[in-house]
Amino acid sequence: MKYGYFDDQKREYVITDPKTPVKWINYVGSLAFGGIVDHTGGALICRGDPALNRITKYIPQLPSSGFKGETLYLRFKQGDRYRVFSPYFVPTLDPYDLYECHVGLGYTRIVSKFYGIRTEVTVFVPLGDSRLISDIQITNVSDHPMHIDAIPVVEYTHPDALKQFTNADWVPQTMQSKAYPDEAGMIILAQYPFMYKETRVNYFASNRRVSSFESDRRRFLRDNECGTWANPLSLQEEELSNYEALRGDNIAALLHHLGTIRPGETTKLITQLGQTESIENALPAITHYRDTEQVEQALREMSAFWDSYLSRLQIETPDASMNSMLNIHNPRQCHTTKNWSRYVSLYQLGLGARGIGFRDSSQDVMGILVHMSQQGKELIRQLLHVQKRDGSAMHQFNPLTMIANEGDSRDLPDTPKYYADDHLWIILAITAYLKETEDFAFLKEVIPYYEKGKDGHPIEFQVLDHMQRAIEFTTHNVGAHGLPLLGFADWNDTVNLRAGAESLFVANLCGTALLEMMELAQHLGDTEALARYASSYETMKQRVNQCAWDGEWYVRYFDADGSPLGSRSNPQGQIYANGQSWPVISGFAPADRARTALESVYRRLNTPNGIKLSTPGYNAFDPAKGGITTYPPGVKENGGIFLHANPWVVIAETILGNGDRAFEYYKQLNPAAKNDRIDEFECEPYAYPQNILGDEHPQFGLARNSWLTGTASWTYQAATQHILGIIPTYAGLRINPCIPSKWDGFKATRVFRNATYRIEVRNPDHVCKGIKSVKVDGKAIGDNAVAIVGDGKAHLVEVIMG
Ligand code: NOJ
């Protein structure tokens, strides 16, 4: 526990050393308003869209010691100079007596002690609100009275986040600030680019008298910006200059004289950073949150939200780090990815035309259905709006404008402009939603396709039609082997082959989607559709098995000239993990091939830090293969450990009944279990990263791209539905665990369709899989689907494995 520890009781991770190997962050609020708060108080905040409406200027590429977006300075007189320091450690880097950053659910609380001053700052966005609150409590823990000033500061960006970095003429010429003093002598400092003066105004305010303010960075730092954030020269003056910026780099610094604080005494200050159409409109809410009781109430409401979110599934297994991840951190990360897709993190910077990813969000939805199915439905609806009428999907879209684009395929003019997998994921998301909720009316909801008709009107069809067209796009766009064409890429964004290449992954994903469509058709009693999908399934299965078995594993692609990738005949990229897990998930692989393929994964791809995506890595750039060869061997998709693909192998292993192996794979990925050797891993131990360097790289084990990754959703699904085997089905909840044989059992509480199930699984024979009996409320039931639906009561489900 070099940098911190888990406090499961408080549902926090507590960082105890600010010098973490890289910045460790938390998410506050939602895409509607919120962003990132790092462990030294830096804040990247936006409203509605990080690319088009960003508020604070947070530059992740700056060194960890640098100011980023927001900070708080405190000062007191020492001789004839002020001792100025930040209770967040950064950017002044003073020696501290105590530093703790509590990474909580929806809030970050920094507690520190410098120079006899204890500061506790809780940063959060009240539920559904458009403001970042910092609730600051300052206690004099010295033995003498202290006269303390507090100067909270934010730095603004232009809302068009990319323009901020590409146009250093237009941006600074448009940025302006204006002070609004109110009757109580409390100043609200507003900021806007000129064009948004009357429509979209940022503001920074507090609940105490502001003695003076600064809105221009140059005046704050002084000496023509040879003053620094570590030592802003204006803070050696009694007052700031009260300058309303007419251009330039806009900040908001509010100087408060907190007066004399006696030993043991605590004083409070609340700041609000928000955005509104006009300050006048915002005044009632600003006044509301100036009241400490209202801020505390907002914190209580947020805590109640998380209680209810998490309570829908709680587990108790013999593995403490699994419990910690599944009861707190993993479902929280699923909430984060559902909110932010891959839009904004320290690694995915949300600049330009990035947006919400179609395939990413379709998979993210599956991670939150247990906890907030209605929000899942809303996101599915939004995604269906950017599906094209041929059934394929736009790759990503800006949530504010709903303008979509074709992702990286735009960079290469001669490649196909679609991703072969995007549209298929939405089928998995929709059927998962239906199994969770029974909301079959959703299938009839009419949603337009992305393109408009010739008359400019939307082309609207029912959700079920969207699903059918998604299948048809894949089954109609096949190559020489009858397998789905790759398009620009499939799930693996970085293998970009010539037009005509085929994807085995998409063949299997299509098989899985077909299984879902068959099950749905059966449930809806549509025998014609069932027969149609079953026939497509069999055709695809035959093709995969006829042409893609390589002897010990399945190949991953056929290039346009018919040559395989992911074959032992290739010098590099001989075996791909997704090429093996998905034929098992789709049910295409016969039992012997399934076993052999997964054994090859273990032998060729597994490492103590996770399963590599492929091996060996390509060792030189090859434009005919694409992005994968831009990485050195062992990095990201080129032989790195791409975590997202690991839970698919876990799921495949559970399908074969190998609970010991499945759990070994699950456990080796768990970041919580790496807390004691985090210097190798470097990223947050409380969130899954997207990638870890593979064993071909000298820095094997180093993680990057934490938080926004499909790993969150799929690890959660793999653990809860496949290892613990708590599976929503159309018929009810089904319990079919595949656990480590040494476990005696486990317990879980699951809320499902308005009833609560207390599940107790016992494993007296120490098997991995198999059910001897299931009792519900003491009565034996024939099979293991618990078909009690929505009676609002609690039920005891006792499962004996054997
Ligand atoms: C990152 C993307 O967000 C995800 O959608 C993709 O599947 C992986 N890269 C693998 O290439």
Side-chain angles (χ1 to χ4, degrees), residues 342 348 354 359-360 491-494 637 642 644 690:
R342 306 296 168 270
Q348 317 207 33
R354 189 8 180 142
R359 83 152 81 91
D360 297 321
W491 174 89
N492 188 331
D493 292 308
T494 64
E637 284 94 337
F642 215 92
H644 188 157
Q690 181 215 58

Side-chain angles (χ1 to χ4, degrees), residues 451-599:
E451 311 96 320
K452 301 241 181 321
K454 285 206 183 87
D455 54 3
H457 287 115
I459 306 168
E460 300 183 308
F461 279 89
Q462 293 186 348
V463 168
L464 190 57
D465 184 77
H466 283 252
M467 298 165 81
Q468 278 159 359
R469 289 193 196 203
I471 292 282
E472 281 161 16
F473 182 85
T474 299
T475 51
H476 292 170
N477 285 282
V478 293
H481 298 88
L483 297 167
L485 289 167
L486 176 64
F488 172 72
D490 61 23
W491 174 89
N492 188 331
D493 292 308
T494 64
V495 177
N496 317 117
L497 307 173
R498 284 158 293 187
E502 295 162 286
S503 163
L504 267 303
F505 172 81
V506 178
N508 287 298
L509 178 62
C510 181
T512 309
L514 281 165
L515 285 178
E516 290 295 342
M517 293 304 279
M518 284 154 65
E519 205 183 337
L520 179 61
Q522 187 156 37
H523 189 76
L524 298 176
D526 186 344
T527 46
E528 183 277 320
L530 174 59
R532 194 159 25 92
Y533 292 131
S535 145
S536 299
Y537 179 85
E538 282 309 321
T539 307
M540 195 68 84
K541 180 177 178 177
Q542 261 179 28
R543 291 175 187 167
V544 166
N545 281 301
Q546 256 160 26
C547 60
W549 183 247
D550 197 54
E552 287 176 277
W553 57 82
Y554 286 95
V555 303
R556 175 67 171 82
Y557 307 88
F558 287 110
D559 210 339
D561 62 3
S563 54
L565 275 84
S567 153
R568 64 186 148 173
S569 62
N570 302 127
Q572 286 103 27
Q574 284 175 347
I575 171 170
Y576 284 71
N578 291 343
Q580 319 320 318
S581 50
W582 278 88
V584 182
I585 295 171
S586 66
F588 283 176
D592 55 335
R593 287 188 176 182
R595 265 195 310 275
T596 309
L598 291 188
E599 209 40 49

Side-chain angles (χ1 to χ4, degrees), residues 219-296:
R219 285 171 176 252
F220 185 68
L221 300 179
R222 291 279 172 92
D223 279 4
N224 290 334
E225 299 213 285
C226 287
T228 62
W229 287 111
N231 182 19
L233 299 177
S234 66
L235 293 186
Q236 289 304 328
E237 310 275 331
E238 180 71 17
E239 296 295 346
L240 298 171
S241 81
N242 288 335
Y243 179 73
E244 295 177 310
L246 300 171
R247 61 174 305 289
D249 292 295
N250 284 202
I251 64 165
L254 305 176
L255 193 153
H256 306 83
H257 299 300
L258 300 178
T260 304
I261 305 174
R262 290 186 303 276
E265 193 187 348
T266 298
T267 193
K268 294 186 180 184
L269 174 69
I270 296 166
T271 65
Q272 306 179 34
L273 170 66
Q275 191 182 79
T276 173
E277 304 70 50
S278 72
I279 295 296
E280 200 181 31
N281 284 359
L283 268 178
I286 292 175
T287 309
H288 177 85
Y289 284 109
R290 278 174 165 159
D291 179 349
T292 44
E293 173 46 37
Q294 298 304 335
V295 168
E296 279 158 25

